[in-house]
Every structure is written in structure tokens, then in C-alpha cells.
Amino acid sequence: MLDKNGIAKRIAQELRDGWYVNLGIGIPTLIANYIPDGISVEFQSENGILGMGPFPYAGEEDADLINAGKQTITALPGASIFDSSLSFAMIRGKHIQLTVLGAMEVSDNGDIANWKIPGKMVKGMGGAMDLVASADNIIVAMMHTNKAGESKLLSQCTLPLTGVACVKKVVTNLAVMDITTDGFRLLERAPGVSVQQIKDATEGRLIVEGDIPEMRLD
Amino acid sequence: MLQESDIIMGIVKVVSNAKEALKDVKDNMTIMFGGFGLCGIPENCIAELVESGVSGLTCISNNAGVDDFGLGLLLQNKQIKKMVSSYVGENDEFERQMLSGELEVDLIPQGSLAARCYAGGAGIPAFFTPAGYGTEVAEGKEVRDFDGKPHILETALTADFAIVKAWKGDKYGNLIYKGTARNFNPVMAMAGKITIAEVEELVEPGELDPNQIHTPGIFVQRIFQGEKYEKRIEQRTVRPRV
């Protein structure tokens, strides 16, 4: 079974040289720590920067330089800064090659819910609705089950949707799956996790064809 | 209502301070606030609005500040009737007022918020976007397919006042922002009937390089140098020195 860093490490293997990538808050942010050797990517943060670098050294924080999670960051050589309108032009105009975000629920047709629990929690969608509505390549990074042990991979989302039929791939602590017209297709198992465990933790349609390899993280 | 004589005040836009800039803000007006989180917010104007006690405001701002800073100060004071935002997760008082029904809230996707402000300032009454299709955001909105994909109709946003914060500005209202403090400020500057810019440094016309101007002065009606900037950091994240 993977921890959050393991999920990030596995998703980092999906990066390709020259891609512009938007990472959501939470697990996706960790992906920047695991960029494979020989690959250069630029990270976009939707508040208005391309070429986002690592956190600053203590004492060098700049209140005027943050990411979409409101964390202090640095700008790498070659970075560019722009306003919110231009930032979402990049997103809506499909200039970003990969979007990775977290979710509360994903359905087996690719719907995603991640912004609201009616009557309990309302944080807002931020840029997530724009990202999922326009990106061609969307990976969800999340735990397979919620804190109550219930599956987050469903036949139908129960929470208000962020986007419809948009998620292409899901990487959880248990598995890698892509989304097909017939449901979640199991591609890889996390280390030490059986196909049965994944079946038990998946409420939506799960396609298991042939031997499912264990994922390689190194 | 604001008359043209209230808006046009000459090519030199300088006012002495936040109090003078905000002198004709009345109860129940709609105000846009630039900023993302606490980054690039007009601190001096927010402090003056708290001081003035003006109430019933509709505030258009990507976020709602934190409990004790930014727009959170106006929320604590119950001066806000309605918030139009995309993300409000950092503010407990906001969540409490929203869930109890005291505060009206219109949550809209961040890119649509930026585009709606831009449209308001650019004379585009409405536009179609894929963001929000099939979600609560699309309820009651016209849907049309383009290239086989459904889009929803979003309308332009304008405001009685837009209040923005820039790094440097000149007396004609030309503005330059610094870092990611730019965010919503340029599009909101375009969309205010009266746009107030507070700047860290106010200079003479000619001192700023015209090639580097982010917001041309035509969009700004009033400008002043802010008295002080706390520039509070919301999430201080650092890495260890090796």
C-alpha cells in the first residue's frame, strides 16, 4: 500500500519532457519532489505563475510570491508571471498538458466531486471546475477509501459534481486505474496489495483483465 | 447613483488617502477587491471600510480573507451581505455565516470569475465556457454546444467600485504589480465604474517604463500611496538549507 508520497511518486512517472503541468492542492503538490531524471517540466499555478520553484529558504519568503495553495514559493529562472485571466486562458485554451488534482469521489464514467459537502463543508471550487472542464489529460490523486473506510470510486458520485466525464486516470494508495466506457480498468496494484483488496475497496465497475502487475516505483 | 462628474476627475488621479478615495462608498454597493488569498489585497482600503462601518456590501473577490485579516475583517463586522468568490476555505467565520444563512454566497469557478471581470471591463456582455457544465454552477444558465461539447453562458461582472493594489503606480494611474500579487487586480481594475488603486510607491508620470505597465491609467480613477503594508503570509512554507 502507498502513502501520499508514494502516490505522488507513481504519478510523477507519467510526466513527459517539455510538459506544462498544473498540480492541485494536497497530494498533487508532492509530485514536484519526484520528477524523473532527464525530464524537464514547468509547473503552472493558477494564481498566475509558470515556472514555479521549490519553497524558499527560511528568511527568504516573499509575501508577493505564492502558489494557488497560498504557500510561499520561489520562481525558477525562466519563470513568467501573469494575471488570473491569462492564467485561465492557458487552462481553458488547452495549453497545459497535464492536470493532477485531488478528489472526494470519482465515478466510473469519470465524473469528479471535490468542492462541497452540502450542509457541512463549503470551500468552493477554486480553479478546479475550469481545470477539469478543459484539460484533456486529468489524473486524480487520492486515497482509495474515505476516513470511514467507504469507497471513493463509485458507480455514481453522491456529492455535488465538479465536472462530468473528465477524469482519465486515478492513482490511489491501492491501485492505478484508467477510466473507460466500461468503468475503472485496473492497470497496476500498489506494492503488497491484492486484486481482491482493490475489488473490495471499489464500489464502481472495475475491469480486471489478465494478470495485474505490481507498480514499480524505482 | 454615481454621476459622470464623480467619476472623471482629470488625468491626474491622485487622492490623499484611503478615506478620500472611498468617500462616496455607500451602503449596499457592489465592490470588487483584487487579491488572491492575502496576496495583493488592498489592505489600506479594507481597513478604511472597516473604520467607516459601511454595510450591506456585495463583495466580489476570489477569496474572503482569513478570520482576522483581509475581507475577513469586514465579515467579522457583518458589513458584507453577499460574497461572490471561487474559494473560501480559509475562513471559519465565512463558513459559519454561510451555513447559517446570514451571508449570501455565489461561488463561481475561478477562471469564470476572472473572465467575467475581464468581460465587464472589456464590453463583452456574456460568453460561453465549458467550466461548470453538468454541475450546480450551470443551474438556470443557457447551454450551447460548440464543436460537440456543451458550454454554459456566463455574464459579465461590473461593480460600483473596484479596489486594487499595485506595487508601483504613477499619478496618471498607470500600474505595475509585483510577483503573484498581480492575480485578479488587472481584470478587476477594468471592471469598476470607479477604480481605486492603492500602491506601495506613487511616482511622477514618466518614471515608469511604458513597456512595463500592466494596467494602463485609463482604467484607474483614483490612486494613492498606502500608508502601510503588513503583507501577511497565509502559509509560510520553507525548505531547509543543505
Side-chain angles (χ1 to χ4, degrees), chain A residues 102-113:
Chain A
M104 298 172 190
E105 296 176 345
V106 175
S107 73
D108 61 22
N109 69 332
D111 293 354
I112 174 173

Side-chain angles (χ1 to χ4, degrees), chain A residues 142-153 172-174 200-202:
Chain A
M142 66 177 190
M143 296 315 219
H144 212 99
T145 54
N146 63 22
K147 282 180 184 144
E150 299 156 337
S151 181
K152 294 170 71 174
L153 293 115
T172 73
N173 51 329
L174 303 183
D200 292 344
T202 307

Side-chain angles (χ1 to χ4, degrees), chain A residues 15 30 92-93 129 166:
Chain A
L15 299 172
L30 301 170
R92 228 185 285 104
M129 282 193 184
C166 52

Side-chain angles (χ1 to χ4, degrees), chain A residues 25 46-49 54-74 81-86 88 92 94 115-136 160-164, chain B residues 36-40 62-63 85-90 94-95 98-99 107-112 114-115 118 127-137 149 165 167 178-184 186-187 200 231-242:
Chain A
I25 297 166
E46 65 268 24
N47 57 313
I49 181 169
F55 296 146
Y57 294 118
E60 293 178 6
E61 310 93 309
D62 180 354
D64 291 331
L65 203 54
I66 64 168
N67 63 17
K70 284 91 177 177
Q71 297 171 313
T72 45
I73 54 162
T74 53
I81 284 170
F82 34 86
D83 68 56
S84 301
S85 172
L86 199 60
F88 281 90
R92 228 185 285 104
K94 298 179 186 292
W115 71 283
K116 181 178 184 181
I117 303 172
K120 281 190 191 157
M121 187 282 289
V122 186
K123 291 191 183 302
M125 66 292 281
M129 282 193 184
D130 309 88
L131 282 158
V132 302
S134 295
D136 286 327
L161 294 182
T162 307
V164 293
Chain B
F36 185 98
L38 301 180
C39 182
N62 187 57
N63 310 91
S85 301
S86 87
Y87 190 84
V88 293
E90 289 93 359
F94 182 101
E95 203 157 0
M98 175 169 176
L99 292 172
L107 286 171
I108 53 185
Q110 194 175 130
S112 296
Y118 174 86
F127 58 90
F128 283 96
T129 177
Y133 171 75
T135 75
E136 284 179 14
V137 165
K149 186 175 170 174
K165 188 261 166 181
W167 178 39
K178 182 166 160 277
T180 55
R182 194 180 322 181
N183 56 62
F184 278 85
V187 288
E200 289 179 52
K231 290 203 188 181
R232 201 184 287 191
I233 290 174
E234 206 164 324
Q235 304 282 343
R236 187 179 298 275
T237 44
V238 295
R239 65 182 146 146
R241 281 179 199 276
V242 183

Side-chain angles (χ1 to χ4, degrees), chain B residues 119-163:
Chain B
I124 298 169
F127 58 90
F128 283 96
T129 177
Y133 171 75
T135 75
E136 284 179 14
V137 165
E139 282 170 18
K141 289 174 184 165
E142 184 183 335
V143 175
R144 199 184 292 182
D145 282 9
F146 294 93
D147 294 329
K149 186 175 170 174
H151 293 70
I152 62 173
L153 186 70
E154 292 281 10
T155 54
L157 287 170
T158 56
D160 297 305
F161 285 85
I163 308 178

Side-chain angles (χ1 to χ4, degrees), chain A residues 32 55 87 123 133 153 168 175 186 192-193 197 215:
Chain A
F55 296 146
S87 179
K123 291 191 183 302
L153 293 115
K168 297 292 187 292
L186 185 58
V193 173
Q197 280 174 287
M215 60 179 84

